[in-house]
Amino acid sequence: MDEAITVGKHRRKVKLQPVDLARLLALLVFGFLMISPFILILSISFDRTANVTLPYPPRFLPAHPSLFNYRLIFQNGGLLQAYVNSFIVAVASVIVKVSSALLAGYAFSKGKFKGKRVIFLVFLATLMVPVESRLISLYLMWNHVHLINTFWPLILPNMIDAFLVFLAKQFFDELPDSFREAAQIDGAGEFRTFLKVYLPLAGPITATMAILSFMWSWNDFLWPLIVLTSTKLHTIPLYMASFTLQNGESYAGMTMAALALGSIPVLILFIFLQKYVIRSVALSGLKGE
């Protein structure tokens, strides 16, 4: 008992060292620099005069706060439809992309077949091919099957994502092969082993891939701009771009208000799943060592 009291007193006497204070100050500064663009977005969105002229120098608090820009966004009537379109595309993309990445990652990690390493390296090499170099061929292909101006060109190409497959493989590499061997001894097939043994353990990496997939799909602009010609099918990024005038200028206040509203789903998803993201990094082979 006396030893516990002594330890408690020693703990209360511990003070932050100058090095710790310097690190804390550096983290606060970098954290503020990271979040400052979001603060400016909110500030401009609440500035009634931002559609006429941007405040200069930039300020973190609007001179005359107002909900004027948000009222204009809701009166415009296109925000709700853009939300629905983005949700359809993003949720379908997450399901398709994460499912295929988990299956492929398990196959490259635990599967036994000839040329596995070479195939995986070729698969990773596709990451070096810019998306822009494939846009023309992709457009011609989807136009040939008459699926332009539909959501299918935004969903089906997401079935293959080399980066997510790499993440899944790295995670499954950390899980012991003895699980697979035990399941096979019990008579389980390969797919059942994946479904019943490894998939329940893949919650952290699944959440990480879901966040990344949702964010990429939600924020995608160039490819939807090419394949979606109807304004009724526009996603959130295309809806925000609609506030740009023909002379290149934009309604900054309305654009920032739409941007703030469009960022809410991604923020909510990250808040609820962030613990799984941290756990997946700790358990995968991406640890900073």
Side-chain angles (χ1 to χ4, degrees):
M1 184 68 179
D2 295 336
E3 292 180 359
I5 295 175
T6 303
V7 172
K9 290 181 179 179
H10 283 301
R11 288 180 177 176
R12 285 194 294 269
K13 293 180 181 179
V14 174
K15 296 182 180 180
L16 290 176
Q17 299 297 322
V19 176
D20 298 326
L21 291 175
R23 291 175 179 173
L24 179 60
L25 180 61
L27 288 175
L28 290 175
V29 171
F30 282 112
F32 177 77
L33 291 176
M34 293 292 292
I35 201 174
S36 57
F38 300 99
I39 299 176
L40 286 175
I41 288 174
L42 290 176
S43 174
I44 296 174
S45 69
F46 285 106
D47 194 331
R48 183 185 180 94
T49 61
N51 289 325
V52 179
T53 177
L54 279 173
Y56 186 83
R59 49 177 178 259
F60 290 106
L61 293 176
H64 303 92
S66 172
L67 295 175
F68 177 73
N69 294 318
Y70 289 91
R71 286 199 297 267
L72 289 179
I73 289 293
F74 285 106
Q75 290 174 2
N76 181 271
L79 179 64
L80 181 59
Q81 185 62 51
Y83 256 109
V84 172
N85 296 339
S86 289
F87 266 113
I88 293 174
V89 173
V91 172
S93 297
V94 167
I95 295 174
V96 170
K97 187 179 291 187
V98 173
S99 300
S100 61
L102 287 172
L103 288 168
Y106 173 79
F108 282 121
S109 176
K110 306 301 181 184
K112 307 294 182 182
F113 54 91
K114 294 182 179 179
K116 181 177 73 171
R117 181 176 178 83
V118 175
I119 295 174
F120 184 66
L121 291 176
V122 173
F123 198 69
L124 289 181
T126 60
L127 291 173
M128 296 184 290
V129 181
V131 176
E132 292 77 8
S133 65
R134 308 195 303 263
L135 291 181
I136 296 178
S137 58
L138 283 173
Y139 178 84
L140 293 176
M141 180 184 71
W142 291 108
N143 185 53
H144 181 71
V145 295
H146 307 291
L147 288 178
I148 293 297
N149 204 34
T150 67
F151 291 144
W152 292 113
L154 305 180
I155 299 173
L156 294 181
N158 291 321
M159 292 182 66
I160 300 176
D161 190 295
F163 180 70
L164 295 187
V165 172
F166 172 75
L167 289 182
K169 179 186 178 300
Q170 292 295 103
F171 185 86
F172 286 125
D173 283 345
E174 297 297 316
L175 300 180
D177 294 339
S178 58
F179 293 166
R180 177 172 176 267
E181 295 170 357
Q184 289 179 339
I185 292 175
D186 291 338
E190 202 68 67
F191 182 74
R192 188 176 180 183
T193 301
F194 164 77
L195 195 64
K196 298 294 185 179
V197 179
Y198 285 95
L199 185 59
L201 301 175
I205 196 63
T206 301
T208 302
M209 293 191 296
I211 291 177
L212 293 175
S213 300
F214 188 91
M215 182 177 62
W216 293 337
S217 178
W218 188 269
N219 295 331
D220 194 12
F221 174 76
L222 182 58
W223 181 235
L225 179 65
I226 295 174
V227 298
L228 298 180
T229 58
S230 173
T231 55
K232 294 182 179 180
L233 298 177
H234 277 184
T235 56
I236 288 292
L238 298 182
Y239 175 75
M240 289 188 293
S242 65
F243 297 110
T244 301
L245 303 179
Q246 293 182 355
N247 58 5
E249 298 179 358
S250 63
Y251 296 109
M254 294 178 64
T255 302
M256 294 304 169
L259 181 58
L261 293 172
S263 303
I264 293 176
V266 178
L267 293 176
I268 293 176
L269 184 68
F270 181 78
I271 290 173
F272 280 100
L273 298 181
Q274 61 177 332
K275 62 179 181 180
Y276 298 105
V277 176
I278 297 173
R279 190 183 308 171
S280 69
V281 174
L283 295 179
S284 68
L286 300 179
K287 295 179 290 185
E289 297 179 348

